[in-house]
Amino acid sequence: MHDILGKLSDINLTYDKKNYILKNLNLEIYKGELLSLLGPSGCGKTTTLRIIAGLIQPDSGTFTLEEKDITDVPVHKRDFGLVFQSYALFPHMSVYNNIAFGLKMKKIDSATIDSKVKNMAEICGISEYLNRFPKQLSGGQRQRVALARALVTEPKLLLLDEPLSNLDAQLRIQMRTSIKRIQQQLGITMVFVTHDQEECFSISDRVAVMDKGIIVQCSTPEEIYNKPASEMVARFVGFKNFFTADQAAQLGITLPEGYKQICIRPNDIELSDDSSIKGTVEVRTYLGTGYQYEIHVGQAVMTVSSTKEPAYNVGQSAGLVFKSNKIVYLNR
């Protein structure tokens, strides 16, 4: 059993009193975990984070922290750390004073502040920048300062809203590794909002996939990647081939009772001249590591990724083999 740190219960939020932004949303946050809220733009993930932070009040429902209802407690009394994509550092303060700010507000003595700031700067890899000002730092360095400032007060919960979206691709990979290392080192509970599936899966202990104001699946990254609970989740995590029961039957695949649809990833279909299922290559795209093909089989169109050489040409016949353990069955 996991220890529950916080819990959203039956959260509803509307605009115009009729259009739901969040609908009957329930979510548990476990102590010491990194929980991500993942989903397309406009799905409600940032709104959910802002309700946890106390920046937005829900129309109905509760947020409890350690079994106390804090739904109406204002943001500055929740003692959470917040990190946004904009960094929100004080430009006129040195890095040292930016990190120390929250501790000074709590009237902690200067020797303790000095020790905590230097320790957190060390953990976040920014010790050499303590005397610099935000404008003298790169985007990645600023984000580390924002992280150190949020962590130094030892919050019960750290909330991160798309914290890496302003960084270039290489730096994002470095920063997400740093965030995971710091989270494990400190054992802190984090809720992380992102629309980037790869970023999310690489660092999360659990992922809540959101769509149109509801959580459609909440599980480990592995479970969501390999066993999506719905067509929306499957499409979001990279499945491209979806077939009805009738289409599957034409491909020699029988669905278990109750299921109405199957899906399979492009790289889980093999091309083999020995297969009895034949199609025609209509489109070929070079991906660097191999090729992606659009192959027409009767009425169905398959997207297939393959490293097989020599490559198939447009108009050529190709045999298809489905890896049966990679087929995902869906209820619609």
Side-chain angles (χ1 to χ4, degrees):
M1 281 293 290
H2 295 281
D3 286 340
I4 296 170
L5 175 70
K7 191 172 180 179
L8 291 163
S9 304
D10 300 323
I11 296 287
N12 286 290
L13 185 68
T14 59
Y15 61 91
D16 307 337
K17 299 279 185 244
K18 53 179 187 281
N19 294 304
Y20 280 94
I21 301 168
L22 299 175
K23 189 168 185 180
N24 296 333
L25 186 129
N26 291 280
L27 182 66
E28 291 177 345
I29 303 163
Y30 301 148
K31 273 183 190 166
E33 77 168 339
L34 199 160
L35 169 68
S36 284
L37 306 178
L38 175 71
S41 192
C43 70
K45 54 190 186 295
T46 290
T47 305
T48 303
L49 191 84
R50 291 173 83 82
I51 285 174
I52 295 169
L55 292 162
I56 295 177
Q57 283 284 300
D59 295 340
S60 61
T62 56
F63 176 55
T64 53
L65 185 76
E66 295 175 325
E67 299 185 350
K68 285 195 203 86
D69 184 348
I70 64 163
T71 316
D72 299 324
V73 173
V75 60
H76 61 278
K77 292 193 174 163
R78 294 200 179 188
D79 212 15
F80 295 166
L82 301 169
V83 180
F84 300 107
Q85 64 192 68
S86 60
Y87 320 130
L89 300 175
F90 299 114
H92 59 287
M93 286 186 190
S94 67
V95 167
Y96 182 99
N97 286 327
N98 262 285
I99 298 171
F101 182 78
L103 297 170
K104 287 178 180 172
M105 295 298 282
K106 292 186 168 188
K107 311 249 187 306
I108 291 170
D109 67 273
S110 56
T112 305
I113 288 176
D114 191 60
S115 155
K116 282 179 181 285
V117 168
K118 286 177 176 165
N119 179 50
M120 193 50 67
E122 178 84 21
I123 288 169
C124 293
I126 48 172
S127 298
E128 64 203 91
Y129 309 125
L130 286 173
N131 295 323
R132 292 195 195 171
F133 287 83
K135 67 171 188 281
Q136 298 170 299
L137 304 176
S138 69
Q141 289 160 354
R142 280 183 216 168
Q143 196 55 288
R144 286 173 190 273
V145 176
L147 200 56
R149 183 180 64 181
L151 287 167
V152 78
T153 57
E154 297 170 25
K156 285 186 175 147
L157 188 56
L158 181 65
L159 307 173
L160 304 107
D161 187 8
E162 302 268 9
L164 311 182
S165 59
N166 287 342
L167 306 178
D168 65 52
Q170 206 55 45
L171 203 50
R172 286 178 80 142
I173 292 169
Q174 274 177 22
M175 274 303 295
R176 73 189 190 206
T177 307
S178 296
I179 286 171
K180 187 62 183 172
R181 177 180 55 74
I182 291 164
Q183 189 260 336
Q184 288 176 330
Q185 191 175 339
L186 299 175
I188 191 166
T189 310
M190 291 187 184
V191 179
F192 188 99
V193 162
T194 180
H195 63 275
D196 184 317
Q197 174 209 318
E198 186 187 315
E199 179 175 289
C200 171
F201 283 6
S202 67
I203 65 169
S204 306
D205 298 307
R206 281 192 313 144
V207 178
V209 183
M210 296 187 66
D211 184 38
K212 297 178 184 139
I214 60 170
I215 292 170
V216 286
Q217 189 170 3
C218 186
S219 192
T220 62
E222 295 84 355
E223 177 85 7
I224 289 169
Y225 188 82
N226 293 311
K227 294 180 181 168
S230 69
E231 182 178 342
M232 177 268 155
V233 178
R235 287 189 187 280
F236 198 73
V237 297
F239 283 85
K240 289 240 172 47
N241 300 295
F242 292 81
F243 307 112
T244 62
D246 289 346
Q247 289 172 323
Q250 289 170 6
L251 301 169
I253 300 165
T254 307
L255 274 67
E257 200 170 317
Y259 290 97
K260 298 189 175 72
Q261 195 180 21
I262 63 162
C263 61
I264 189 164
R265 280 196 165 85
N267 53 347
D268 290 328
I269 301 173
E270 287 177 356
L271 296 176
S272 167
D273 297 332
D274 300 331
S275 173
S276 59
I277 300 167
K278 296 277 196 254
T280 306
V281 177
E282 298 286 337
V283 180
R284 181 181 82 182
T285 314
Y286 182 55
L287 300 178
T289 51
Y291 294 89
Q292 187 159 290
Y293 301 97
E294 261 185 33
I295 299 174
H296 288 225
V297 182
Q299 299 300 306
V301 180
M302 314 269 178
T303 303
V304 182
S305 298
S306 175
T307 54
K308 194 172 179 185
E309 295 284 356
Y312 287 78
N313 295 315
V314 171
Q316 194 174 341
S317 173
L320 300 149
V321 177
F322 297 89
K323 297 180 187 174
S324 57
N325 63 329
K326 298 291 187 180
I327 295 169
V328 171
Y329 299 96
L330 298 171
N331 283 323
R332 267 207 287 207

